[in-house]
Amino acid sequence: MIAGDRVRVMVSVAVPPDEAFRVFTDELDAWWQRGPRFRIAGADRGFIRLEPGIGGRLFESFERRGTTTVIDTGRVVEWTPPARLVFTWRASNFGPDEVTTVEVDFAPTASGTQVTVTHHGFAALPADHPVRHGADVPTFVRRMGMWWGDLASSLRLHVARTRDTLAP
């Protein structure tokens, strides 16, 4: 990959890889943060889902002024539970041929699972692309790293909160 073309974040969760994979995919709406920084719907009611299996959609559905809108954000291109998930990613302001890729790896550790998210493909986007919000490449990549870092922290907190309540 080209330098500056990827963001990588890692988070440890206190569940085995099969459970971490399931939480990441099945409980996406519960741990993915809400609000305009993380969802197209912003504060509007809605949900984000990842359909299982190759070809499955990553999409957001929300209601605004009585109308339901569904926006596809990506497609699953690799589905290898409990070790790996890869999907394409398109921001809402991407053109028809613009796409990036998100790889999610689930590696066992002594205390659970290390989840590693790598998002790449930014080099294919023009320097003046609206997704960059006027930022140069290093600033844009740093912001994307913080964005994914916030989501990874949210995943970790969701696992801790929901699994603690299930403990005897």
Side-chain angles (χ1 to χ4, degrees):
M1 282 177 243
I2 297 169
D5 187 45
R6 73 174 172 199
V7 168
R8 177 172 288 148
V9 299
M10 292 173 262
V11 65
S12 293
V13 294
V15 293
D18 59 334
E19 180 69 0
F21 188 96
R22 193 194 66 70
V23 170
F24 190 98
T25 58
D26 292 354
E27 298 178 23
L28 186 71
D29 187 59
W31 65 262
W32 195 279
Q33 292 188 28
R34 298 188 181 278
R37 184 168 170 238
F38 297 98
R39 298 193 186 210
I40 299 164
D44 292 332
R45 293 185 63 113
F47 60 86
I48 186 168
R49 290 239 169 85
L50 180 66
E51 296 172 336
I54 294 178
R57 295 178 305 154
L58 172 64
F59 67 95
E60 187 171 344
S61 177
F62 56 93
E63 189 172 317
R64 187 173 286 155
R65 294 189 259 324
T67 301
T68 299
T69 301
V70 176
I71 297 179
D72 285 354
T73 304
R75 294 277 177 180
V76 175
V77 294
E78 185 176 338
W79 182 270
T80 315
R84 186 166 165 82
L85 165 69
V86 179
F87 55 92
T88 60
W89 178 274
R90 302 185 75 251
S92 60
N93 57 6
F94 277 26
D97 297 329
E98 296 173 331
V99 67
T100 59
T101 302
V102 177
E103 302 174 18
V104 189
D105 293 295
F106 302 83
T109 65
S111 60
T113 304
Q114 178 175 291
V115 180
T116 302
V117 177
T118 306
H119 189 167
H120 60 87
F122 305 119
L125 302 175
D128 62 347
H129 195 283
V131 77
R132 296 186 197 274
H133 301 284
D136 60 15
V137 172
T139 301
F140 171 72
V141 170
R142 187 171 46 256
R143 286 179 187 163
M144 287 300 299
M146 292 183 333
W147 187 82
W148 277 110
D150 288 345
L151 287 174
S153 292
S154 184
L155 172 65
R156 181 183 51 79
L157 291 170
H158 173 74
V159 168
R161 182 177 55 252
T162 59
R163 284 11 183 216
D164 284 348
T165 60
L166 298 177

